[in-house]
Structure formats: structure tokens, C-alpha cells
Amino acid sequence: MARGSLILRGGKMEIERSSWSDDGNLVQDAVDYRGCPANRSSTGSWLGAASVVGIELCERLATMGIAVNLVTYLTDTMHLPGAASANVVTDFMGTSFLLCFLGGFLADAFLGRYLTIAIFALVQALGTGLLAVSTTVRHLRPPPCGGAAPCEEATGLQMGVLYVCLYLIALGTGGLKSSVSGFGTDQFDEHDDRERAAMGCFFDRFFFIISLGTLLAVTVLVYIQDHVGRSWAYGLCSGAMLVAIAVFLSGTKRYRYKRSSGSPVVHILQVLVAAARKRGLKQPLTAATLYEDRPEHARIHHTDQFRCLDSAAVMAGEEDNEVGPDGRPAPNPWKLCSVSRVEEVKMVVRLMPVWATTILFWTIYAQMITFSVEQATTMDRRIGGFEIPAASLTVFFVGAIMLTLAVYDRVFIPLCRNLTGRPGFTNLEKIGIGLVLSIIGMVAAAICEKKRLTVASTATNGTALPISVFMLIPQFLLVGAGEAFIYTGQLDFFITRSPKSMKTMSTGLFLTTLSLGFFLSSALVSLVRGATTWLGDTINHSRLDYFYWLLAVLGAINLAAYLLCAMWATPAASSKAEQPHHAAAADEKC
């Protein structure tokens, strides 16, 4: 058996050279921690993936445990207005997901997924630990409200310290999320039918772990924050992440490491620059005369869409070359790109219309952890002698996600296969269902808020409104079920319709829809607050129902745009190099 050598360049594991024998027990294009071809029986599969998901569980526990209850801390302890508090939360969440793109770039270009996960997990543990300390120090928060004097709002220094802690956590979250799912799928061999089916199951179980972490965050962690202390809750998150890092590092010998093909962002820029440089050249009549440097089995076939990008593969002679490492002329990738490289960029371009029309869902989602939680603080939350923490109402949101996934996987898919032969909804259909449910959720939220405001207009100030908090359940259930469909649909769409070499970037691209959705929420709140009186300093003297109706109308317009984009979207070009995701096989073997 020939061995490859694993070299460390800038902290990133790369395969310098290796050769795989015909031994069926070796995994193609993967090595172990020593740089030897990975042995199927002792590395990867569920053995390696199990250690990876623990990191994601703790990440969700920390991020969501902070986010869902942060608005109450900002209003009750830091004395910020309701709309400003909502914007702090959405900006924090938006930045967390936006930094996924940075994490993906670092993983592909410099660090590799393994080191990216380890480093940014430590960053998040550090940020959570500092947040625990900041909530303990009395001088880092304003004095409690009391007497006839108005509440004193947090100073710039106090908010500055809070922001440092929050955005350290956001940085850790961004670096983690960009690589965890990709590193998890690296543990499965796409060329093996059994492991490819297991990879399909991994996506379902990965999202289940995300939901489980969120469930623990909105129940156990929120209860600890409200009844024991925030510093204890945040310290627990930091400790749990450190344990998860130790478990992750202990699995180093069990992991499979994949060859890095360089930064996909650089590859995209090379195609765009080369196409721009040659925009005046006449394109050949047939694609066969365009430049291609990949072997036949690894090529992506030429497509007729976006012909302007084909200019990057038009050969212009000696001016396309540069002096290579061996002193011989070699193609300059900024002047000449292969057809397969150009087709990879086309595949990314085809994702963008669907990408743009899924952003608004996450704007609607943002209301579930901001204004909906603030609504709950004003309502009757008692069950007997126990008062439910306001942020724990999101348990219905998480419960809807998990119940929807379970029913869809165990009831709907087998029924659909027996009746129609199809393995459930396609990824585009799932996204459409999620958008529809989010619109209905906003309609339910607007109706509920109108009822709550009617009760608030006759109630005594300073007391809980005589209206049950369980009236909020429909909006949580509808938007939660919508997330179950749209999250799995988006993840499937972006991973299966993007080039294999851009797996990490496509995950980051998907997560930027969450980021931009949160930022759009902040922008809408600021715009509506400046132009209307709908969002006042206190929720009982606002017209939040009008804001919900606005989101429902915007959602309906966005749904129409999405349907047009979904009809235009076509499956990615197929080739032996870009294996399609066999969803049906995965469902049957799970």
C-alpha cells in the first residue's frame, strides 16, 4: 500500500501526494491524521461524525440560550427601549451568520475545517465566559429602577463591554457553523453506496441536534437565567463548549481529512476576471474548442446559460500563459480558466435567485425571538403556581420543528413513496411550503396582537395582562413548522446544486440568508420606527399588529417572486465529478 504525506501549510492539512491501491477498504481522496490513505473500518462514518455534532449541540445551546432571552435582559436590566433591544438581538444573530462566510473562506484557503472548528470553538467559549463575568460585575450594568426617578439607561461603556462579549460569541459561531456540517459529511465516502445513504441521514440527524440544542437552550438554560442567575447559565455554556472541544480533539485519530482545492472565492474571481478581460474576443462555435484541463471523468459538461462567462475559457495563445514553478509556460488562471471551472461559477449563479427570495423568511423568524418574547412578558404566564419564563415560550417553536421533521420523515415520506413513488417533497417544494407557513404565522401573530392590545387598553399598568400567553402558540407553531421545511430544503438545495469543491462556501452562502434576514429585520424596525408610531418605547403603547401585517404582505410578494425563481431554477449540470444526492436511496436506508 502506497502512502501519501500529510503536510501542514499555514496550519492546514493538505495531501502532498498519495496513491490509493485497489484495496476496497481504503477511502478515495481522504487520509487519516498521519497522512495515510484513510481506512474505512477505523476512520470516519458515524464513528467520526458523532464527535463533530457535539460541538454543534453546544454552539446552539450557547447562541440560542443567549439570543432568545437577551431582549428581556436589555429591556429589564440595561433599560433599553423595546425596538432598540430587538435590533441588538437581530444584529447579533445577523453577524453570527454573516461571519460564516468568513469562516468558510478561512477553512478553504488557510486553516482547513478541522483547525477552523477547534479555533473558533475556543473563541466562542471565551466570549461566553466573558459574558458570564460581565453579568456578574455590578458596575457593568445600570442601577435598578426604583422610586419616582426614571430608569437610567446603560452607559456607552456598559454597552461596549456587552458588545465585545456578544461579538466574540458571534465570531466563534460564524467560524464553527461554516465548517461543522462540511467536516461531518467529510466522514462519509460519496463513492460508497452505504456511506452515501448514511450521509443523507446525517443531514436529518444534524438538524435534529441543532433543534435539540435549541430546545435545551429555551427551556433549561432560560430557566437557569431567570431563577438562578445569568452568570451561572452563561458559565455553564462556556464549560459545556470546553468539554465538547476536548471530545472533538480526542477524535483526531478517527477523522477523515479531505484534500483542499483552494478557496472557491478565488476561483470565482478568476473566472470573472478572465471573462472580463476577454469580453471582446469572438467565442468559438462549439464548446469542444474551449480550454479544458481536467480528465474526462472529472469534467463538468458545458451549458449554454450565461455565455458571457464562457469567454474565460477562450484560448488566446501565448498571452494566456505565465512561467510555471518548473520554468515552463503554464496557463495563468486569471487569464484562462477551464470549462469545468466556468461551469462551477455558473452553478453558483443559478443559486442566487432562490438565495435572494429566502431571506425574508428569516426576517419573520427574527420576530419569534424578539417581539414575540416581549409580548409574552406582558401576558399571564402562570400554570398553577409556576410562572413560565417568557423566553421559554419558544419551546413551542422548537417543538414544532422537531414534530414536523418526525412526522415528515416517519409518516409522510413512506406514505408518499407508496402512493406516488416519490420520496417526499423536492428541496424547492420544501422552501415554498416554509414561505407559505411563515406568511400564515404572521397573520396569526397580527390577530393575536390585536386581541392583546385590546386587553392592554383597559388593564392596570405594572401588572400582567389578564390574557393567557398561550395565545401566542399558533404563531410559534406555524413559523416553527415553516423553519423545519425551509431549513432542510435550503441546506439540500445549496449543497446538492453547488460544485463539490465549493461545499463549505455553499453552506456559508446558505447561512448568509439567515444573516441578511436578521439585518433586514433591524433595518425594517428602524425604518418603521422612524416613519410611524407602530413601534414605541413600550409594547403596550405600540401597534405591533400593524408591523406583523406589513411582514405578511411583504411575505406574500416575496412568495410570488420565489415561485418565478423556482420555475426558472434547473438542476445543476451533471457529471461523474458532481454526483447527485440520492435522496431516495438515503431515505430507504436510514
Side-chain angles (χ1 to χ4, degrees), residues 322-335:
E322 63 180 358
V323 179
D326 57 357
R328 298 179 180 179
N332 184 337
W334 295 95
K335 294 181 179 180

Side-chain angles (χ1 to χ4, degrees), residues 62-355:
T63 304
M64 293 307 298
I66 292 166
V68 297
N69 210 22
L70 184 58
V71 70
T72 60
Y73 179 72
L74 294 169
T75 54
D76 297 344
T77 303
M78 306 301 276
H79 306 151
L80 268 61
S85 300
N87 279 356
V88 170
V89 177
T90 51
D91 287 345
F92 162 65
M93 293 296 289
T95 303
S96 298
F97 290 110
L98 184 63
L99 288 171
C100 291
F101 215 74
L102 172 63
F105 173 76
L106 291 175
D108 285 330
F110 301 105
L111 300 174
R113 294 186 184 119
Y114 172 80
L115 285 180
T116 299
I117 292 171
I119 291 171
F120 284 97
L122 283 170
V123 171
Q124 194 194 54
L126 174 63
T128 311
L130 290 176
L131 184 62
V133 174
S134 72
T135 56
T136 304
V137 179
R138 183 173 57 83
H139 297 293
L140 294 180
R141 58 182 185 271
C145 298
C151 293
E152 181 182 332
E153 192 170 320
T155 65
L157 175 62
Q158 291 167 341
M159 290 303 299
V161 172
L162 179 62
Y163 285 143
V164 168
C165 299
L166 290 177
Y167 287 101
L168 268 177
I169 296 169
L171 178 61
T173 298
L176 273 178
K177 292 194 74 66
S178 63
S179 297
V180 169
S181 59
F183 192 67
T185 57
D186 285 347
Q187 307 311 308
F188 301 95
D189 182 12
E190 294 182 354
H191 303 282
D192 180 82
D193 290 341
R194 186 174 180 181
E195 291 200 18
R196 185 172 60 244
M199 186 193 299
C201 299
F202 172 79
F203 286 120
D204 295 335
R205 284 153 178 72
F206 182 74
F207 188 61
F208 180 83
I209 289 296
I210 291 176
S211 301
L212 179 61
T214 305
L215 181 64
L216 292 173
V218 302
T219 52
V220 177
L221 206 64
V222 167
Y223 181 85
I224 294 174
Q225 289 176 37
D226 288 354
H227 293 86
V228 180
R230 289 181 183 269
S231 58
W232 282 97
Y234 299 152
L236 181 64
C237 290
S238 183
M241 179 57 81
L242 290 174
V243 171
I245 294 170
V247 173
F248 174 72
L249 294 177
S250 71
T252 300
K253 295 182 179 181
R254 296 194 300 269
Y255 299 139
R256 296 172 186 170
Y257 304 90
K258 296 293 182 72
R259 182 195 301 269
S260 173
S261 58
S263 171
V265 176
V266 173
H267 294 163
I268 292 172
L269 290 176
Q270 287 173 341
V271 171
L272 296 179
V273 170
R277 281 176 168 174
K278 296 181 176 179
R279 61 186 180 276
L281 293 181
K282 184 178 180 181
Q283 295 191 15
L285 297 178
T286 63
T289 57
L290 295 174
Y291 174 70
E292 181 59 86
D293 60 356
R294 297 186 184 181
E296 182 65 33
H297 73 276
R299 294 179 182 178
I300 304 176
H301 298 305
H302 177 266
T303 59
D304 292 329
Q305 277 185 312
F306 313 117
R307 293 295 299 272
C308 59
L309 295 176
D310 289 343
S311 299
V314 175
M315 291 180 283
E318 290 298 324
E319 62 184 76
D320 287 334
N321 294 334
E322 63 180 358
V323 179
D326 57 357
R328 298 179 180 179
N332 184 337
W334 295 95
K335 294 181 179 180
L336 181 65
C337 302
S338 67
V339 171
S340 295
R341 182 73 73 205
V342 172
E343 289 301 318
E344 287 177 345
V345 176
K346 289 183 181 181
M347 292 168 73
V348 174
V349 173
R350 293 187 190 103
L351 301 176
M352 300 314 293
V354 172
W355 173 86

